[in-house]
């Protein structure tokens, strides 16, 4: 999970420093609630929270369910994309 840059902790540090946020909502961008979304990401977020706390950073980090766990919303978005594509094709 941490092979690609930026890492989760680096991204959080950047968001906190640049945007001066006090709350971050992390949404795992996975189409299904597999191992990465249910185990790996929560563990990495927990580790990042711990590191930031040790560094004296006061920020609330929340973790939602994976994007793919909201099937109705995803299907609605797919419907919109299909409709937009068909409308564009008809121009």
């Amino acid at each position: 999970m941490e092979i690609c840059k930026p890492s989760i902790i680096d991204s959080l540090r950047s968001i906190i420093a640049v945007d001066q946020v006090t709350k971050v909502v992390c949404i795992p961008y996975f189409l299904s609630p597999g191992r990465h979304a249910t185990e790996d990401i929560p563990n990495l977020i927990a580790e990042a929270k711990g590191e930031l706390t040790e560094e004296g950073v006061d920020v609330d980090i929340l973790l939602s369910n994976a994007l793919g766990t909201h099937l109705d919303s995803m299907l609605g978005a797919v419907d919109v994309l299909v409709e937009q594509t068909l409308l564009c094709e008809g121009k």
Side-chain angles (χ1 to χ4, degrees):
M1 291 296 310
E2 291 297 309
I3 294 172
C4 295
K5 301 286 182 193
S7 66
I8 288 174
I9 186 67
D10 289 341
S11 294
L12 288 169
R13 283 186 183 119
S14 176
I15 291 168
I16 294 164
V18 172
D19 297 324
Q20 299 180 350
V21 299
T22 57
K23 185 179 285 189
V24 177
V25 178
C26 300
I27 303 170
Y29 195 78
F30 292 92
L31 298 180
S32 66
R35 184 170 173 216
H36 287 317
T38 60
E39 294 177 25
D40 297 335
I41 297 296
N43 289 337
L44 291 169
I45 297 295
E47 289 173 14
K49 283 183 184 181
E51 284 185 47
L52 292 169
T53 298
E54 287 176 10
E55 295 169 9
V57 176
D58 185 27
V59 65
D60 191 14
I61 301 174
L62 307 172
L63 178 64
S64 78
N65 290 328
L67 178 65
T69 60
H70 303 283
L71 186 58
D72 290 339
S73 297
M74 284 183 48
L75 292 176
V78 168
D79 286 343
V80 169
L81 291 170
V82 168
E83 288 174 17
Q84 289 176 345
T85 302
L86 292 173
L87 286 173
C88 288
E89 182 184 54
K91 289 184 178 181

